[in-house]
């Protein structure tokens, strides 16, 4: 059995296995990713504001999935490319 930790998202105590979140938060994250991927498959040119409005997933959550390459690696969505804040070169 893994170490007992508090989930960084909801604060619940859980036994860490392969995830750094509790089971409930992992399931919520998977649901959000699936919702975003499904929408992007039919709307690959969707802008970030469209994703937030249609899916209800927070902008910072979507951007974290993009930074972790968990969203764009599956769906080609050019509007979700993250640019370097200094030189504006795509970094993802």
């Amino acid at each position: 059995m893994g170490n007992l930790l508090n989930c960084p998202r909801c604060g619940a105590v859980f036994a860490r296995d392969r995830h750094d979140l509790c089971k409930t938060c992992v399931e919520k994250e998977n649901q959000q990713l699936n919702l975003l991927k499904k929408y992007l498959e039919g709307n690959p040119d969707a802008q970030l504001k469209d994703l937030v409005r249609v899916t209800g997933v927070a902008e910072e959550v979507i951007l974290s999935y993009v930074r972790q390459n968990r969203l764009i690696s599956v769906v080609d969505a050019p509007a979700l490319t993250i640019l370097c804040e200094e030189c504006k070169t795509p970094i993802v």
Side-chain angles (χ1 to χ4, degrees):
M1 183 155 102
N3 297 334
L4 290 180
L5 300 171
N6 286 86
C7 178
R9 293 239 175 103
C10 71
V13 176
F14 72 105
R16 184 175 185 270
D17 54 10
R18 55 190 172 133
H19 299 287
D20 291 329
L21 303 172
C22 71
K23 183 178 178 179
T24 302
C25 288
V26 168
E27 289 173 4
K28 181 179 178 184
E29 189 172 87
N30 288 336
Q31 289 172 349
Q32 289 177 329
L33 278 166
N34 289 335
L35 183 63
L36 291 164
K37 288 173 187 177
K38 185 174 182 175
Y39 183 75
L40 284 170
E41 285 170 357
N43 304 279
D45 293 326
Q47 299 291 315
L48 180 59
K49 64 181 170 131
D50 299 324
L51 280 173
V52 171
R53 180 179 46 80
V54 171
T55 65
V57 178
E59 181 175 325
E60 58 272 6
V61 172
I62 296 170
L63 289 174
S64 93
Y65 293 154
V66 172
R67 285 187 193 100
Q68 296 168 18
N69 215 20
R70 296 178 69 195
L71 190 57
I72 303 305
S73 63
V74 178
V75 179
D76 183 26
L80 295 181
T81 301
I82 295 179
L83 303 177
C84 172
E85 292 180 13
E86 294 291 322
C87 67
K88 305 302 180 205
T89 301
I91 57 176
V92 175

